[in-house]
């Protein structure tokens, strides 16, 4: 018996969102323009009245852009509502190769301010929503869209995410893009001081701005810091909390046992940092720790040999006591100075693989906007209170790459002599940096990377696990699959 293909239902109105709504539907492979013509006599009549003019479709609530009329219906979100208008003749009639069952993804693009034109026809007043099929790159999707000038779809051009100012090459597979929206412009134009792949170590100005916004809302009798301290003590159970809530303390023992210490001892250079097992014998730690290990002036292409020779990693497993591990030759698998992380593969001698714990990747989850989290070390657990995000972030954490938080030391004003600078802005504490940050509900949400001084207070900060996973996804897809997509506790990784 032949299967009946599911249909996508949507509504549309003429002349703006307040017009009378009409219903339409089409098969998943059918183009929008075909579905409108076949399923709605109202549309067919209106199009006949505007013969010779170009149909324009805009979806403002979810896709937030002018759609390509050739987009397959399966690219529409649920309960989509389209605004239909008719423009002067000469415009694109839409991409024609939308047939087939390939995955359809969309991304929204507008021109970079002050840059060269990107469209064949005058701008429609909204961004353009582009669709890509299967493994098409961003450049391929733009080139097939029909509305963009040919010269902006290839080399020398890039997408820049409007909020984070991250730059993405047009050679990137379109389905690997974050949510957007994006600006299309020449390479190097409009991007912040980020690497081409997502990620940026937070700058002091950005972090301080967020703290300023948060502290303005504190009404403590002695000032905003006193109000923040009172909130901290109420949420964490005291000025210097040294205990965990019972439900957090009952988390799987493997979460504690996955935390380790990275040590190195080279002539004139001895040090340590925290780290933890992520998955399958791979360890996550801080980029700045590896940089301190290898020393200044060593190209990153040579780091792997130094690390495999100088580094040792130890875990305290209840079943086998202190265990020592070396980093495998060629074991530096991924890194980012902007996100301050490194992935190291351990050298696992034959017969010792069963000693390693599964790791924490199976607990990885998306960032949380505020509340209490816990930095888990080998011999300590510290409660941190997240400083709420800036108002413009709201609850949309899709592009969030960093977090900042208060600890008991924030309010005690007691110096910590073990903190050492690792660049001009941030401080490194070997006892904490490189340790996992666990949410109140037991999810792995971050990597603690350092702290910075703000008005004589020490504020902790770190990188979200989601940002690290996304960076690996773009730069080393097989490694991402190995670490985040093949965990027995998660059939499908939801970190992104």
């Amino acid at each position: 018996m032949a299967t009946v293909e599911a249909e996508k239902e949507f509504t549309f109105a003429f002349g703006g969102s307040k017009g009378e709504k009409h219903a339409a539907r089409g098969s998943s492979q059918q183009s929008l323009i075909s579905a409108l013509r076949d399923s709605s006599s109202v549309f067919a009549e209106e199009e006949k009245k505007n013969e010779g003019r170009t149909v324009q479709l805009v979806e403002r609530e979810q896709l937030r852009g002018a759609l390509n009329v050739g987009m397959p219906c399966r690219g529409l979100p649920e309960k989509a509502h389209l605004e239909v208008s008719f423009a002067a003749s000469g415009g694109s009639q839409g991409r024609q190769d939308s047939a087939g069952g390939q995955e359809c993804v969309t991304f929204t693009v507008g021109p970079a301010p002050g840059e060269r034109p990107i469209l064949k026809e005058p701008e429609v007043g909204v961004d353009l929503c582009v669709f890509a099929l299967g493994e098409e790159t961003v450049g391929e999707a733009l080139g097939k869209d029909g509305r963009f000038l040919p010269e902006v779809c290839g080399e020398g051009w890039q997408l820049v995410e409007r909020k984070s100012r991250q730059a993405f090459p047009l050679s990137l597979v379109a389905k690997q893009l974050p949510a957007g929206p994006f600006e299309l412009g020449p390479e190097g134009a409009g991007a912040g001081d980020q690497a081409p792949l997502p990620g940026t170590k937070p700058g002091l100005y950005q972090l301080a701005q967020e703290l300023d916004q948060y502290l303005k809302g504190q009404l403590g009798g002695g000032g905003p810091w006193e109000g923040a301290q009172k909130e901290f003590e109420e949420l964490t159970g005291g000025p210097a909390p040294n205990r965990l809530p019972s439900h957090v303390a009952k988390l799987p023992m493997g979460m504690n046992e996955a935390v380790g210490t990275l040590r190195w001892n080279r002539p004139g250079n001895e040090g340590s940092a925290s780290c933890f097992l992520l998955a399958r014998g791979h360890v996550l730690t801080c980029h700045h720790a590896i940089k301190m290990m290898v020393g200044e002036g060593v190209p990153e292409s040579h780091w792997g040999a130094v690390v495999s020779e100088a580094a040792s990693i130890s875990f305290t497993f209840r079943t086998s006591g202190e265990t020592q591990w070396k980093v495998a030759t060629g074991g530096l698998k991924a890194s980012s100075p902007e996100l301050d992380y490194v992935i190291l593969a351990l050298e696992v001698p034959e017969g010792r693989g069963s000693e390693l714990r599964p790791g924490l990747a199976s607990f990885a989850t998306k960032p949380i906007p505020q509340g209490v989290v816990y930095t888990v070390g080998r011999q300590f657990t510290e409660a941190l209170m997240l400083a709420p995000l800036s108002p413009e972030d709201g609850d949309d954490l899709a592009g969030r790459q960093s977090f900042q938080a208060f600890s008991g030391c924030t309010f005690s004003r007691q110096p910590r002599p073990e903190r050492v600078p690792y660049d001009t802005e941030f401080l490194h504490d070997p006892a904490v940096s490189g340790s996992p940050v666990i949410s109140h509900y037991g999810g792995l949400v971050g990597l603690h990377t350092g702290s910075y001084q703000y008005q004589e207070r020490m504020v902790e900060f770190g990188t979200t696990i989601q940002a690290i996973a996304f960076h690996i996804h773009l730069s080393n897809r097989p490694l991402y699959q190995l670490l985040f997509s093949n965990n027995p506790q998660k059939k499908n990784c939801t970190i992104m």
Side-chain angles (χ1 to χ4, degrees), residues 90-214:
S92 168
Q93 289 300 319
R95 182 173 169 178
Q96 301 299 314
D97 61 336
S98 60
Q102 299 179 81
E103 181 182 3
C104 179
V105 298
T106 62
F107 57 97
T108 305
V109 177
E115 298 295 341
R116 288 176 279 172
I118 62 173
L119 303 179
K120 293 178 179 179
E121 299 295 324
E123 297 182 19
V124 296
V126 293
D127 290 340
L128 270 61
C129 182
V130 180
F131 73 91
L133 300 176
E135 298 296 319
E136 285 180 346
T137 67
V138 173
E140 289 170 341
L142 292 172
K144 293 178 181 180
D145 182 270
R147 295 173 289 180
F148 295 88
L149 294 169
E151 58 267 28
V152 307
C153 303
E155 293 184 5
W157 291 76
Q158 66 183 10
L159 291 187
V160 175
E161 203 278 325
R162 280 202 179 121
K163 192 171 188 179
S164 67
R165 310 312 300 171
Q166 294 172 352
F168 297 86
L170 300 194
S171 59
L172 182 70
V173 175
K175 66 183 181 182
Q176 295 178 349
L177 285 171
F182 302 93
E183 294 171 358
L184 176 61
E187 286 184 354
D193 297 328
Q194 291 94 356
L197 294 173
T200 174
K201 184 163 56 182
L204 285 181
Y205 179 74
Q206 173 195 345
L207 293 174
Q209 274 193 319
E210 293 183 355
L211 274 190
D212 285 341
Q213 290 293 329
Y214 166 73

Side-chain angles (χ1 to χ4, degrees), residues 8-302:
K8 179 76 87 171
E9 296 182 352
F10 57 97
T11 59
F12 67 94
F14 297 108
S17 60
K18 296 183 180 180
E20 180 183 357
K21 287 188 177 182
H22 306 280
R25 64 181 181 275
S27 69
S28 64
Q29 297 186 29
Q30 194 172 12
S31 69
L32 296 180
I33 188 67
S34 174
L36 285 166
R37 288 168 176 165
D38 291 351
S39 68
S40 174
S41 59
V42 175
F43 176 84
E45 292 173 4
E46 193 69 22
E47 186 180 32
K48 187 175 181 179
K49 294 177 185 177
N50 288 274
E51 186 175 358
R53 297 172 70 85
T54 301
V55 178
Q56 292 186 342
L57 307 176
V58 176
E59 206 286 329
R60 297 188 185 274
E61 294 301 320
Q62 300 175 75
L63 300 180
R64 299 181 182 180
L67 310 184
N68 190 304
V69 296
M71 186 175 81
C73 290
R74 65 180 177 276
L76 284 179
E78 295 299 322
K79 299 181 179 179
H81 176 68
L82 311 185
E83 297 179 13
V84 180
S85 60
F86 296 90
S89 60
S92 168
Q93 289 300 319
R95 182 173 169 178
Q96 301 299 314
D97 61 336
S98 60
Q102 299 179 81
E103 181 182 3
C104 179
V105 298
T106 62
F107 57 97
T108 305
V109 177
E115 298 295 341
R116 288 176 279 172
I118 62 173
L119 303 179
K120 293 178 179 179
E121 299 295 324
E123 297 182 19
V124 296
V126 293
D127 290 340
L128 270 61
C129 182
V130 180
F131 73 91
L133 300 176
E135 298 296 319
E136 285 180 346
T137 67
V138 173
E140 289 170 341
L142 292 172
K144 293 178 181 180
D145 182 270
R147 295 173 289 180
F148 295 88
L149 294 169
E151 58 267 28
V152 307
C153 303
E155 293 184 5
W157 291 76
Q158 66 183 10
L159 291 187
V160 175
E161 203 278 325
R162 280 202 179 121
K163 192 171 188 179
S164 67
R165 310 312 300 171
Q166 294 172 352
F168 297 86
L170 300 194
S171 59
L172 182 70
V173 175
K175 66 183 181 182
Q176 295 178 349
L177 285 171
F182 302 93
E183 294 171 358
L184 176 61
E187 286 184 354
D193 297 328
Q194 291 94 356
L197 294 173
T200 174
K201 184 163 56 182
L204 285 181
Y205 179 74
Q206 173 195 345
L207 293 174
Q209 274 193 319
E210 293 183 355
L211 274 190
D212 285 341
Q213 290 293 329
Y214 166 73
L215 291 172
K216 285 177 182 177
Q218 297 301 309
L219 302 175
W225 280 109
E226 284 68 19
Q229 180 175 1
K230 181 180 179 181
E231 181 181 6
F232 173 82
E233 294 178 1
E234 289 175 349
L235 290 175
T236 60
N242 57 6
R243 62 184 185 276
L244 287 173
S246 59
H247 72 280
V248 176
K250 293 176 182 177
L251 292 175
M253 183 57 66
M255 295 188 77
N256 290 352
E257 294 180 342
V259 182
T261 300
L262 169 69
R263 295 185 177 91
W264 61 92
N265 190 351
R266 305 179 67 209
N269 182 4
E270 181 178 354
S272 66
S274 292
C275 62
F276 61 93
L277 277 168
L278 198 56
R280 300 178 183 271
H282 288 71
V283 168
L284 179 61
T285 191
C286 292
H287 185 277
H288 74 259
I290 305 301
K291 185 175 181 179
M292 288 192 293
M293 181 192 306
V294 301
E296 294 291 339
V298 180
E300 192 160 337
S301 59
H302 296 169

Side-chain angles (χ1 to χ4, degrees), residues 296-313:
E296 294 291 339
V298 180
E300 192 160 337
S301 59
H302 296 169
W303 282 16
V306 177
V307 173
S308 61
E309 178 184 349
S312 66
I313 295 174

